[in-house]
Amino acid sequence: MIDWSRVDDLRDEVGDEDFREVVDLFLDEVDEVIERMKHHPTHSSIEKDLHFLKGSSLNLGFAAFSSLCAAGERAARNGEAETVDLGQIFDAYTQSRATFVAKVVS
């Protein structure tokens, strides 16, 4: 679910002092996009939103979530946005976020 080696690499890249700020920014931005997608999903924005989520989540090691976003992005790009299981993507983020926060933030 979480690529912990990527998390360690990111912490090494930005340093311990800035790591928490990077994490907070990531979580805030992703939470915002997820909430918008839950309440105002549009076929025209799904590909762009999933692309953003995929890239952001890869940077912080959310491997499973990122894979689901990549698959959804491909489907949307191929004109199949209605087949994207947003509920599965949202659930994967919720689970990944909880696992990550429990280990890293606490």
Side-chain angles (χ1 to χ4, degrees):
M1 178 174 292
I2 304 291
D3 179 355
W4 294 111
S5 64
R6 176 62 196 133
V7 175
D8 292 339
D9 288 346
L10 179 62
R11 187 186 310 265
D12 290 343
E13 290 169 15
V14 301
D16 284 334
E17 289 181 16
D18 292 330
F19 181 72
R20 179 60 189 251
E21 185 177 330
V22 168
V23 167
D24 289 344
L25 180 63
F26 163 79
L27 294 176
D28 288 346
E29 289 179 347
V30 172
D31 287 347
E32 182 179 314
V33 172
I34 293 284
E35 285 305 308
R36 182 171 38 76
M37 290 179 76
K38 283 181 178 179
H39 300 292
H40 304 289
T42 63
H43 289 314
S44 62
S45 67
I46 287 177
E47 180 182 355
K48 178 182 68 116
D49 289 338
L50 292 175
H51 178 78
F52 168 78
L53 294 173
K54 175 190 72 178
S56 296
S57 60
L58 272 177
N59 286 329
L60 209 56
F62 283 45
F65 174 65
S66 180
S67 292
L68 289 171
C69 290
E73 178 189 9
R74 277 191 304 279
R77 184 175 43 249
N78 291 329
E80 300 169 350
E82 69 282 351
T83 67
V84 177
D85 186 347
L86 292 178
Q88 181 184 28
I89 290 170
F90 300 152
D91 289 345
Y93 176 66
T94 299
Q95 292 171 3
S96 297
R97 188 186 200 286
T99 299
F100 181 85
V101 168
K103 183 169 181 177
V104 174
V105 177
S106 55

